[in-house]
Amino acid sequence: FEKEIVVPESFSGKKVTLSFERTFWHSRVWIDGISLGEDKSCATPHRYDATRLLTPGKHRITLLVNALKPAGFWGHQFTPGSGAGWNGIIGGIGLEARDLVSIADVQCHPDPDAGVVRIRTGIHNALDSSVRVRMEWSVRCVQANSEMTTPESGTPDVEAGSSRMDLVAEPGDVMLETTIPLSPARLWDEFAPHLYTVEARLSSETHEDARTAVFGLRSVKSDASGLYLNGRRLFLRGSHE
């Protein structure tokens, strides 16, 4: 695949990432004929750091996707019987420009028994020097009003908790962790699918960034008699597994 693009001036001085959400399964990328690298995975997005090559102006992106599977590659999710032997790329394809000091990742680990959420946040500092930053997290609960509630379709949300941390971000990557008590602490299930939205915000004298994540507060356990969701017996029906 090939495509000509025009990178806007607003990308100048930022980290530029080219991403493919779901690739089957081996990708290689060139920018204006210069190799950007390769990736091999059909379980995680393929992400390429294109900061050096995608400067403001016109460029040509060339993409090669190799769907040939090595011996022993077939897993349960990619078998002829499941009809999952697709080729190419599905999902989102795009360019993202973020500040050189930015939030790389937000992971939510809810604990329904304790009524808290543990949030792991990755910060990436692409500069050659350390930067003093402030991280702030705010959690809001979306109260369910239907069986298909999302943060956009639920009833008005309510503040459920917050946290703040000041630190010096050294060049490279750093992982932060904070635990926020949830109030209200509402469990998610298929009859009352309460959801929580986390907004993580980074700020310094010269950089700003923000990311959001969505999670539900629920426990899934099993014993010899079956599966349990929040202590209630759960019945599942599928066609292949």
Side-chain angles (χ1 to χ4, degrees):
F1 310 94
E2 281 193 328
K3 184 177 180 63
E4 282 195 350
I5 65 167
V6 177
V7 176
E9 288 292 336
S10 60
F11 279 31
S12 180
K14 295 183 180 293
K15 180 181 179 180
V16 181
T17 303
L18 174 64
S19 63
F20 311 109
E21 184 175 353
R22 191 78 183 274
T23 305
F24 194 83
W25 68 288
H26 177 191
S27 68
R28 298 178 64 188
V29 178
W30 294 262
I31 305 293
D32 301 324
I34 301 174
S35 176
L36 196 59
E38 63 181 325
D39 200 352
K40 298 179 181 180
S41 173
C42 54
T44 58
H46 291 197
R47 292 193 174 99
Y48 293 89
D49 185 350
T51 307
R52 179 174 57 89
L53 298 177
L54 284 182
T55 54
K58 183 181 291 186
H59 298 276
R60 178 179 292 273
I61 298 177
T62 305
L63 167 66
L64 171 66
V65 177
N66 180 3
L68 295 177
K69 297 165 282 293
F73 176 82
W74 287 112
H76 74 279
Q77 73 273 42
F78 295 110
T79 61
S82 66
W86 48 273
N87 299 320
I89 299 173
I90 59 175
I93 299 175
L95 288 173
E96 181 183 55
R98 305 188 79 89
D99 274 357
L100 295 179
V101 180
S102 60
I103 300 173
D105 188 29
V106 178
Q107 304 172 14
C108 301
H109 302 272
D111 183 341
D113 295 329
V116 303
V117 59
R118 181 168 56 90
I119 304 173
R120 290 171 54 83
T121 305
I123 296 177
H124 178 72
N125 179 3
L127 301 174
D128 295 327
S129 58
S130 60
V131 179
R132 184 174 295 277
V133 302
R134 168 168 290 183
M135 278 298 310
E136 296 175 286
W137 297 267
S138 61
V139 183
R140 302 190 70 83
C141 176
V142 181
Q143 301 180 65
N145 65 353
S146 73
E147 293 184 1
M148 296 298 290
T149 294
T150 68
E152 292 75 28
S153 68
T155 56
D157 56 1
V158 296
E159 185 174 350
S162 62
S163 181
R164 187 176 73 183
M165 185 183 301
D166 294 316
L167 69 144
V168 175
E170 301 293 340
D173 297 299
V174 60
M175 183 65 72
L176 308 177
E177 184 172 308
T178 185
T179 299
I180 300 178
L182 298 173
S183 178
R186 296 192 173 102
L187 295 178
W188 179 98
D189 64 26
E190 68 271 36
F191 303 107
H194 299 291
L195 293 175
Y196 291 83
T197 300
V198 177
E199 181 182 44
R201 183 170 295 277
L202 176 150
S203 60
S204 72
E205 291 184 356
T206 55
H207 300 89
E208 287 189 355
D209 196 20
R211 285 186 183 268
T212 60
V214 177
F215 70 92
L217 193 64
R218 85 291 181 270
S219 69
V220 179
K221 299 179 180 179
S222 65
D223 59 23
S225 63
L227 291 173
Y228 293 85
L229 174 63
N230 301 331
R232 191 184 69 250
R233 183 71 182 275
L234 180 66
F235 296 91
L236 301 176
R237 186 174 74 174
S239 58
H240 287 287
E241 300 298 337

